[in-house]
Structures are given as C-alpha cells and as structure tokens.
Amino acid sequence: MKQKRDDGVVDMGRRSAMLGIGGLGVFGVLASRLYYLQVTQAENYKMLSDRNRFNFNTTIPERGRILDRHGEPLATNKLDFRLVMVPERVHNIDETLDTIAKILPLSAPTRRRIKKDIREHAKFVPVLIDEHLDWKVFSALNMKLPDIPGVLPLEDKGRDYPHKGLFAHILGYVGKPAPSALKNDSDPLLRQPTFRMGKTGVEQGQDKILRGKSGLQKVEVNAVGRTVRYWQDDKTDAVKGQDVWLTIDADLQKFAAAQMGEESGGVVVIDVMTGELRVLLSTPTFDGNLFVSGLTRKVMKQLNSDPRRPQFNKVIGGGYPPASTFKMVVMLAALENNVIHPEEKIFCSGKIHVGNRDFHCWKRRGHQLMDMQTALQHSCDVYFYEVIQRLSMDKVKSMGERLGLGQKFDIGLGGQLSGVVPDPAWKKARMGTQWRTGDSLNAAIGQGFVLATPLQLAVMTARLANGAQAVQPSLIVGQDLGTMGTLDINPDHIAFVQNAMRSVCEVPGGTAYRHNSLGITGVEVAGKTGTGQVRGISAAERRSGVLKNRDLPWKLRDHGIMVGYAPYDNPRFAIAVMVEHGGGSASAVPKFRAIMKKALIDDGVKGGA
Amino acid sequence: MAINSRTSGISAKLFEMNWFLVVLIFLTGCVGVAMIYSASGGQWNLGAKQHLIRLIFGMVIMLGIAFVDIRVWFTLAYPAYLGALILLIGVEVMGVSVNGSQRWLDLGFTRFQPSEVMKMAIVMALARFYHDLPQWRVSKPIGIMGAVLIIFLPVGLILNQPDLGTSLLLAATGVVMIFLAGIRWRVIITSCIAVVIAIPLAYKYGLKDYQRQRVLTFLDPESDPTGAGYHIIQSKIALGSGGVNGKGFMEGTQASLKYVPENSTDFIFTVIGEEFGLMGGLGTMLLYILIIALCFLLASQCKHMFSRLLILGLTTTFALYVFINLAMVMGLAPVVGVPLTLISWGGTVMMTVLAGFGLMFSAHLHRETELPRGSGLLL
C-alpha cells in the first residue's frame, strides 16, 4: 500500500474499474427497462399510441324536412355560402381582409369579431369571415380567391323556411343546443359546433326524428388536434333525418293569412271527422329564418316591443273570452239537465236585474220573447242569463270539457294554454272567494272567468259538427292518437244545437246571416258569432251611450270571434276565427266565410241542389 | 516549456489521437442529426442542419483544444474555476430569468449559461486539487474539506438559481472524483449514512414546489396525465409502441404528430425508440458504452493524477448525462430537463461536451508531459 501511495495514482485503476462496472450495471438496468417497455409492454403501448393518433369525428346528417299534407316543403335545407379564413395560411390578416372588403363589405365590428376569433383558436382552425352570402358576391369572391391564400369558400346546408313567417308558430326554429339540452341528451351531435337543434314548435317536438343519426369518420390527429388524414374506408355514414309530414294545407294557410291581413289573431281549420288541422295560424308572425342566422338586436327589440306579439302563438297559447260562442255549451248543459224546454220563451227587455246590479243584453232595447233557437240565432244574452241561473256551474263545466274546452291537446306543440271553464270549486281554489250568481251570469255569455284558445273553440265546433265522437286535433301525420272517445251527448240535443247554429248563418235575423252565405249553392253553414269584451262598461257610460269600438284605442276594442262548420248537412270542416281587438264579430265573419269557401272548394265540395 | 519529443509535432499528435473515439463521437452526433430531421417532420432546416453545423464546428474546437498543451489547461484549472464561480455569482446578481429559473447571463448578442462552464471547471479544479494533494492527506480533514469546498460553492450557487438537475450532476461528478482520488472506505460509508438521513430533510426544506411536484409526478405519472405527467406517459407510449424493430424512419406517429413534447431536445430518445425500436435503442446505448469505455482506456493510459482525474471526471459527467436522460425518458427518473448529449438539439451542451472531449484528448495526447506537483492553490 505504501508504495502505491507514493505513486499517487496506482490505486485509481481498481476504483475506476469499479466505476466502470457500476456504469455497465446502470446501462444494464436501462436496457432491461427498454426491453420491458418495447417487448413486454409493446402491445399495450401500441394500442395507446393508436388511441392517441386516431380520432372519430362526428359527421352531421342533413336534417329532415317538414312538409305540408301535399308535400310542400315548409322547412327545408338550403345551401349556405360562407367565407372562412385559415389564419396560419394567411400572410397578413389586415391586408387579406382589405382585399376581401373590396368585394364583400366588412363592418368594423365584424373585423373585430374575426380578429377575436383568430386570437382565441388554434391557428389552423378556420375562422368565419361571413355567412349567408348571396350567390353573386360568392361567385365574385370565388373568382378572386386564388389570389388570396388562406381564404376558403364553403358551401354548407343551413335551415331554411321558404314561406318565411307563414308557419313560424307551427314549425318553430332551430338553434345551437342550450346547455340544459346537453345535460339531458347524450347524442354526440349536440356536441358539434355547427349542429342546430329544434328550439320551439315542431322542430323541437320532432327533433329526434328530424335530426337523423350522426356518422363517424376515422381521422388521424396530431397532439394539438389538427386532422392530418381522413380514412375513407373507415367510416360510418350519417343517416339523414326523416321528413315530418304535417296535416297542414300550406295553400289554405296562406289564404287564411291573406284574409287576416294586418289583423292580430288566429285561424284554425280542422277536419271534423279526423281532427286533422288544416290551418293553424297565429298573426302577426315572425320570420323563423332570422332566428336561424342569429337575430340582430334591432329585430329582437322590434319583435319584443310589438303590441301584437308576433312571437306569441295565439291560437294555442292565447286565452280569450269565448263570448257568445260559449252559448252552445250552456244550451247543451240546459238541455241535458232538462232545466228548460226548448220552446219555453223568455222575455228579454235588454237587461236583467240580479243581486244589486243590472246585466245587459248586447241589444239595448231587448229581444222581446225568445225561445232557445231564436236566442242562439239572435245571440240573446238575457235568455242565457236566465237559463244559467237554473243550472249549477259544474254541469256547464262538464259540458264544456266534453266539447274540448279547458284542456290541452296532444298535437306535438308546446306552449298550449288549458283555458278555464270555471265552477265554484275552481274559483275557491284560484281566488279563495265564494262563487256569486253574477259569476254565473258572466259565464253564461262566455265572459268573466271563461277563457278558451282558438284551437279549443275549433275543436268544440268540430265536436258539435261531428256530433258523435270526441274529435282530437292532430298536426303531425302518422302520430298515434289512440282511439277517439265518444262525445257522450244526446244526439237529439246536438241536432237541436246544430239547427240553431244553422239559423245563425242561414236564417234572416241570425247574427251571421247573409243570403247564400258561402256563395256555393246548396251549401249551408252552421256557426256562432262572438264579441269578446275586453273592458268593463260602467253604468254611467251606458247612460251616456256606449262608446263605439272605432273610438277606442286598439288595446280596448272587442275581440271578434266566429266559429262554424260546413256543409251543414254533411260537415267537413270546422273553423274558428279570432280577431284580437277586431272591434266585434263583424271583423271575423267575412274572414270565416272566405276561408270556409276556399277550404270546401279545394276539398271538392260542389254546389248544386 | 520542455516538450517531449514524442508528442512535439502536430503530425505526431495526429498519429497519437484516438481516431476511433473521434469517429464514435461524430457518429453519435449524426444519429442526432437524423433523429432531429425525423422529429421535425422531414424538415432539413428546422434543426437538423443546424445540429450538423454545430457538430462539425464543435469537433473542430474539440481538436483545437486537444492539440493545446496540457500544461496550459493545468495552469488554467484554478483560474477557470474561479472565473466560472464569479460568473455564477454574476447570474445571481444580474442574471436573466427564464421559466422561473435564473440561469442565464445576457451578453447582448447571446445568452449564456455559466453553469455549463462550471461543469468542466469543477472537474479541472478537483483534478488539480488532488494532483497537488499528497495521497496520504486525501482522507484527512484538510483533503476532505478542500474537495467539499470546491464542490459545494458552485453546487450551492446553482441550486439557488434554482437548477436541481445541474447541481445534482455537479455534486455527483465531484463525489465520484473524490472516490477515484482514493478516499478511505470508512469516510465513504460514514458519508453515505449522513446522506440517507439528509435526503428526507432536503426534500422537505430544500426543494422548490415545482421540483417537489416533479418528484411526485415521477412517482405517479398517471395522477396528472395532461399536465406534468404528460411527458412521461407520452414518452413511454412512444418507446413502447416502437416494439422490437420500430415503426421505421420518419414513420413514428408519436413523434410526427407531436405527442411527445420537446422530442428534438430532451426527449429525442423517444424518436429513436419509436422509429427503430429496441434495436435502435440498444444500438444508441452501445455507442455511448463504447465512447465511455474508450475514455476509461484513455484515462488508464495517463500517468498523472491530473490527467486521469480530468478524463474520468469529464467522462463521469458525460455518462451521468446519458444515464439521467435515458432514465427520465423511460420513466425511471423525474423529468429534470437533462439533454441526451450529442444527440439532443441544443448548442450550449453540444459545445461544452465537445470541449470536454477536447480536454480529454489533450490530457491523453500529452500524457508524457511532466506536470509539477505540490504547488497547490498558489499555482
């Protein structure tokens, strides 16, 4: 040891050999680890590598169309032209936007939005420059595009409502899925940024059928999510959404809308045998296309501030006093409970004194002696004030509900109002107060607490016309409606009411009488007018003369209502027309006649005999 | 300067050079060029070309250093160490922070990492220290304290930057050199026991949060698959999916799709493993084994303490780089940001490593040169 120490370096040979062996040992450990990873665990890691590498992109199917009963498309898909920019392929964003702006004007907010989108996404994600381009601009851009690198034209299918607003309340519209929808629906389609789902109307109710089934496309993606390659042989095609057929007659609805003109209200045309809705129109309406492309604040404000409430589906969601059209319900209840003989006459002096107040007939001077049929024909209020005092309200309610009031129907649309046929129990529950005779009197003429939607009035009329079956309204062809229940009303009573309704339209003195009212020889109409009061009329006003509707602000004018069916002897259609603040039934009757005439002629009803 | 006739002329030096080692170093560098080319998706200009230029430039410098007389390096040992130490203090005072670590000196035209210089300087200083220290004093307090001081000053400064990886590397190199210098086993065993006790304490009080996180992530990488554990998981997937024969050059999906981050720098071995499989991985390891073995051979041919310790110390640093990098890539060590020398893209490390080889060659070429002993710290 001593001489080694003197040399000073001899000892290092052994120690460096130890070090070398140690180093080899480390290499041995590393090599065996490599063997473990690359041989023992190779299969496992190969799978993980593939999982990294491959992704399945969801492909979006084309949405099913919505068609009317004749196959006329009401909601369809239109080619939409868009312009996108892939930032990583653009040399100078501002210059490129300037070049585009020469053909397609870009507002300052649009430019800001584009730049924001570019900042917020990976550089290879296409950023939308503009959409819904018209063909002219799009083709001009296409000519220019080869000179603008990184800017791509895209053709895509977007939802289109070719009739604009005509069917907006039925169809609803589509939009981006709401977060709540994502929670309840696991369909991968909903997670796609360009997917649009039904938000309201049939688009919403039939969404599962319309949307179709998503497809899968195997793609190779890199770590930042860019698709590097498509695998054409490894994909499942998307299944196109099914078309949905409606019972609606587009042509007739269009005609009805023309009849309504600028008026606010609704029209329902229903097949009295099948319950198919031929027209379900609420006016004014809104253009569903605006909702698809995204509403501007201005349009939104306009829609929300319009007193006629364009977005509101009045025919199924609007509760109106049915007014005199409710008299059929009172009449049938009276007959069923045998509280009055149809030929018993009641004297109408123009008013009746009950409790401590007067209840007026619409005719100030009174109708004199009225029996049941003439009371309906002339729409005598006093007659029904008298009759309803002999009835308990639950009897009226039972009749009203058998005829279709106070309930919602399964037509595949949300936003229906159930309406009200009141009785003491309802008032107690709702208001906490006792039922008064005055409440009954108001109800007798379809005022007060009674509320019905135009759809309910149409169903009521259809059931009166049908006479035997509780017709259920339907909107979607092929929807399972179950079996129709029987109406459970004495056919003789029905026949009596039908005849009284005929006299309203076909016998001189009837509130909707006109000679040959439809203008189709031999075709008679049965119906009933109604004037829904919106305001109370004070005793003082009555003394000084009731204000004429045309002197009142729009909001205070009476609603005009007409319900009816035709032909009287072989009923086909029942129609309810409601003109909001139309100033009385006279605003509804001509519309009713015109629509009924067209419906019958289109259906092949011929005059004669 | 009395120059030995055997090693006097350039031609003689050229003859004496271990050209086999030079070729091995160049080959390993070329593996790097090929793998960077593949990792950058077949782009020559995205690093591969630069790597090749650096390799050639570095090898020229290596040969330049090799032909400089060992006495120059012998004389410069302490000044170089002191210079590096001053630079490290400079970093402390006016360094540039990158990613929360203050490791860089900004020279205006380039940023410069003094800890890289220290890797060589510390080996030179320790070699010089033991060269001057009589063997019988190696295990005496003066010998131990001197060596510990030489190691601890830079390690402490670098740890404070903080750069755990480099400071551990320096400390380990220093410890190996003390071991080679012939310290008594008794001292070694005592220190080992002390270290075992100190580690838990160091973990608790000495480490920064991010460093502790790295250790935790290493112990359970799946706990944070998208964050810190992502490197390790993706790196193991790349290696494992390569199998025995690999996916083929330029066919590595983990690499080309950029799932493994930093795959042309610290994680370049995953590209080798994925594209050339177990064969490529073992082949690369064999290259390193041969290089290290040849360095041991060079050391064994030297007579002086200085030359031997210099070569073995630098070889130790080189080997530790390789070990730590491979262990990290294979998921056996925490992610500490140590490149795979010669293969990983990166200028500073390439230069220091090749300069280190230059010093080794210089020591070997001038192994017959007389070096004075005992002048100690007074030079």
Side-chain angles (χ1 to χ4, degrees), chain A residues 459-491:
Chain A
V459 170
M460 176 186 82
T461 313
R463 288 182 180 181
L464 288 170
N466 184 297
Q469 286 181 309
V471 175
Q472 290 287 339
S474 70
L475 180 63
I476 292 146
V477 174
Q479 193 189 21
D480 183 21
L481 296 166
T483 47
M484 231 180 255
T486 53
L487 199 51
D488 197 22
I489 300 173
N490 186 332

Side-chain angles (χ1 to χ4, degrees), chain A residues 332 335 467 489-499:
Chain A
L332 279 169
L335 286 169
I489 300 173
N490 186 332
D492 293 340
H493 298 165
I494 290 277
F496 183 85
V497 172
Q498 287 175 340
N499 186 48

Side-chain angles (χ1 to χ4, degrees), chain A residues 178-186 190-191:
Chain A
S180 58
L182 293 175
K183 216 179 291 169
N184 304 324
D185 195 334
S186 61
L190 268 61
R191 277 85 188 159

Side-chain angles (χ1 to χ4, degrees), chain A residues 4-20 22-24 26-35 37-39 41-43 45-54 220-225 228, chain B residues 135-136 176 179-180 182-185 188 230 234 236-237 239-244 247 253-254 257-259 269 273-274 277-278 281-282 285 288-289 292 296 303-305 308-309 312 316 322-323 326-327 330-332 373:
Chain A
K4 278 176 195 166
R5 217 182 267 166
D6 290 338
D7 191 28
V9 286
V10 180
D11 205 22
M12 211 188 288
R14 219 171 76 198
R15 290 219 170 170
S16 58
M18 287 169 67
L19 202 63
L24 274 178
V26 174
F27 272 115
V29 170
L30 291 173
S32 55
R33 172 69 174 179
L34 201 58
Y35 181 87
L37 288 175
Q38 298 198 296
V39 180
Q41 292 286 311
E43 284 312 309
Y45 283 117
K46 268 180 191 140
M47 194 193 71
L48 287 172
S49 160
D50 280 353
R51 197 188 290 169
N52 259 348
R53 184 180 163 203
F54 298 117
E220 192 173 337
V221 291
N222 71 6
V224 282
V228 207
Chain B
Q135 182 68 34
W136 60 272
V176 168
F179 170 73
L180 289 170
I183 202 161
R184 293 249 167 91
W185 283 104
I188 296 173
Y230 182 82
Q234 293 300 338
K236 288 202 297 197
I237 290 174
L239 289 174
S241 64
V244 176
K247 298 176 182 170
T253 54
Q254 288 284 109
L257 302 175
K258 303 265 178 261
Y259 281 102
F269 190 74
E274 190 184 10
L278 184 66
L282 291 179
M285 279 161 68
Y288 283 116
I289 291 171
I292 292 164
F296 270 74
K303 281 184 179 159
H304 316 296
M305 188 67 162
R308 280 192 163 195
L309 269 183
L312 288 177
T316 302
V322 176
F323 291 158
L326 292 183
M330 294 179 200
L332 290 174
R373 286 194 71 179

Side-chain angles (χ1 to χ4, degrees), chain B residues 25 37 47 59 71 104-105 110 152 166-167 188 201 203 213 215 221 227 283 288 327 335 376 378:
Chain B
I25 291 168
Y37 178 79
M59 293 202 66
R71 279 170 295 186
W104 306 82
L105 267 187
T110 181
F152 186 76
T166 306
S167 44
I188 296 173
L201 293 173
Y203 176 79
Q213 187 58 46
V215 176
Y288 283 116
V335 177
L378 300 169

Side-chain angles (χ1 to χ4, degrees), chain B residues 167-237:
Chain B
S167 44
L168 283 179
L169 195 77
L170 286 189
T173 305
V175 167
V176 168
M177 288 180 73
I178 295 174
F179 170 73
L180 289 170
I183 202 161
R184 293 249 167 91
W185 283 104
R186 202 181 54 215
V187 183
I188 296 173
I189 290 161
T190 317
S191 335
C192 280
I193 292 166
V195 165
V196 166
I197 294 166
I199 281 179
L201 293 173
Y203 176 79
K204 201 156 182 211
Y205 302 108
L207 295 188
K208 300 263 173 185
D209 266 349
Y210 85 97
Q211 289 166 330
R212 221 168 293 156
Q213 187 58 46
R214 276 182 178 179
V215 176
L216 288 178
T217 306
F218 160 68
L219 294 175
D220 182 17
E222 276 77 12
S223 67
D224 184 14
T226 55
Y230 182 82
H231 279 71
I232 295 175
I233 294 169
Q234 293 300 338
S235 153
K236 288 202 297 197
I237 290 174

Side-chain angles (χ1 to χ4, degrees), chain A residues 103-114:
Chain A
I103 304 165
L104 172 71
L106 298 172
S107 64
T110 307
R111 275 181 174 239
R112 275 200 295 278
R113 199 257 313 146
I114 293 170

